Amino acid sequence: MLTVKKALQEDAKVLAEIQKASFDDESQRFNNSEEGGGPPGYDSEEWQKDIMQHGHYFKFLWNEDIVGGAIIFVDQQQAHCLGRIFIDPKFQDKGIGTQAIQVIESKFQNVSKWWLDTPQWSTKNHHFYAKCGYSKVGERNDEFIFEK
């Protein structure tokens, strides 16, 4: 059973490890790159701790084990950015990400728009976001912009 909770400082090391595994796996499979598939700080415990102070950082628990997380940034009062979502590769394709997005969005009921960006090469993400109700609305550099 999935539980979504606020991430705590003591979760930073595990979240950095999961984030690194998730983004590196995605990069390896879809970008022909072994490592470095993630955004800045994705593999840093210190970055995780710092971002917990500036954004809404959630951890995903599956049977009490941390299996992923998400970072939400408030752009404006009515627009939120799904800055990052990641699931341990061993737990992907089980519906955890879809459930997690639904829980997170329900925590911010007054939001009129959600948005995110993701690499153009990340076709698995494109499919996932579309399944969650997001639509591609633009491109920037090597990224696609999605909104809901």
Side-chain angles (χ1 to χ4, degrees):
M1 179 169 153
L2 177 71
T3 307
V4 177
K5 293 184 176 180
K6 181 180 177 186
L8 305 173
Q9 295 284 310
E10 56 264 25
D11 300 323
K13 183 176 190 294
V14 172
L15 289 166
E17 291 169 354
I18 293 170
Q19 204 169 152
K20 179 171 176 27
S22 177
F23 284 112
D24 286 352
D25 179 69
E26 182 83 0
S27 182
Q28 182 181 15
R29 293 192 305 144
F30 297 100
N31 197 31
N32 299 317
S33 176
E34 288 296 318
E35 288 188 0
Y42 82 111
D43 57 351
S44 164
E45 182 178 345
E46 289 306 312
W47 188 90
Q48 309 305 313
K49 289 178 180 179
D50 183 57
I51 209 67
M52 287 176 193
Q53 305 300 314
H54 298 94
H56 300 275
Y57 201 144
F58 297 95
K59 60 185 172 184
F60 308 152
L61 302 166
W62 189 258
N63 298 326
E64 301 304 315
D65 293 321
I66 299 175
V67 297
I71 302 166
I72 311 302
F73 296 104
V74 177
D75 280 350
Q76 307 162 8
Q77 243 178 334
Q78 300 301 313
H80 284 34
C81 171
L82 179 57
R84 216 170 274 188
I85 185 169
F86 54 94
I87 307 291
D88 185 322
K90 296 178 290 223
F91 290 89
Q92 291 180 5
D93 301 318
K94 299 180 185 304
I96 293 171
T98 304
Q99 289 178 51
I101 282 185
Q102 292 169 347
V103 170
I104 289 168
E105 289 176 351
S106 74
K107 291 180 180 291
F108 300 93
Q109 294 183 2
N110 293 329
V111 174
S112 60
K113 179 175 84 173
W114 286 91
W115 73 274
L116 60 92
D117 54 28
T118 192
Q120 289 181 4
W121 54 261
S122 188
T123 55
K124 184 176 180 183
N125 282 354
H126 305 165
H127 173 75
F128 169 70
Y129 293 129
K131 184 173 79 169
C132 292
Y134 288 77
S135 300
K136 180 184 161 203
V137 296
E139 297 180 28
R140 169 180 68 206
N141 301 323
D142 292 332
E143 298 178 325
F144 289 160
I145 311 299
F146 285 79
E147 288 184 359
K148 180 177 188 182

